[in-house]
Amino acid sequence: METDLQIIVKGMGDEPGQCIANMLAAILRAVVAAEVPLDLRRMHRLVAASDFKGELAELSTLTASGNPITHTQEDYAIAVAQVLLLPRGSEIEILPVFNANALIPLTQDPKSEPFAWILHLVHHEFCHVHDDNKKLDAMPEVWLRHCYTGKDMFIRPLAEACWSEYAANRLSANSAPKAAIAAMGDSFSEALKRTKTQIDSEIRSYRLHRDLDKIMGIFKRHGEFLPKSASYVLGYMDGVEEPLDKLNMDEALNGSYFKASWEAMHSALQNMWEIYPGGWKNLAVYDGLARAMEDFYAAMGLILSTSEDGGAYVHIPLTLD
């Protein structure tokens, strides 16, 4: 952990703000003093802001690209934290940003369920910091410097996101309340129910508007949530070593359109974990997971390929329905 680390709480008032800062400091001390400590290097500050969206917009100006930092904000999922990688001179700063309103349970009874949920949330985000450090150490010449082309521009960022959530949940599973694990299972099950129907409907609409950018944007926004959600669940499964039936999801998954993707993802993620982080030498470590993501796109009706000029080509076959 960096010696100059600052904990910054914005927009919460003096007393609750100080209480949140004190609890975040206590959690930090606990995770670095654990039997298997988290690697929190490159984290020079931690921000909790009541205006989470506004804070991300402000921090967007500090990124190398200057592009807006986006976060999930859907009816079925709303992000309350994000870990950013920002330039810091010639180095990289890893900056966790929290919605301070979501941290209010840290000011309440430490024995309560809401406190346990938010404690786990904070632990999960610190595990992202740990994972980012390991990736930066393992691939210093390519991490954050790679630019995907062709079909890889769709499947490899998704593979990276899936690994990130799997690793963070596997690392933080020991702090996860049973109710939080069950809630994540429910979120995955709901995504499993709605996603294929929603994407099939969007493909039918595509036949009329023929706007490829539009349907790919919709798929990125809604379709990709399913494998990301699966990654959370798989991280819990492997972290707490509970089989699928113990998480009450085997019935929904078995025989579903996503079963093959689930199995391919799980195999790829476990293979990555077995050599993590010392065996990670380059981006080829993501190859198996990227293939699983390409197959997922295909199962949803979007066949990806790379054209001779290096561009991405998307084929959307006609179906009987």
Side-chain angles (χ1 to χ4, degrees), residues 13-27:
D14 291 342
E15 186 173 344
Q18 188 60 56
C19 185
I20 288 171
N22 291 342
M23 286 306 307
L24 291 173
I27 298 169

Side-chain angles (χ1 to χ4, degrees), residues 7 17 25 35 68 70 78 84 89 110 127 131 227 229 274 278 291 309 314:
I7 298 176
E35 183 177 350
T70 60
I78 298 176
L84 312 178
C127 289
D131 180 50
S229 180
E274 286 177 3
R291 284 192 295 272
D309 63 0
V314 184

Side-chain angles (χ1 to χ4, degrees), residues 46 73 87 131 135-136 195 222 300:
L46 185 166
Q73 192 168 9
D131 180 50
K135 290 181 289 196
L136 286 165
T195 302
H222 298 293
M300 300 297 286

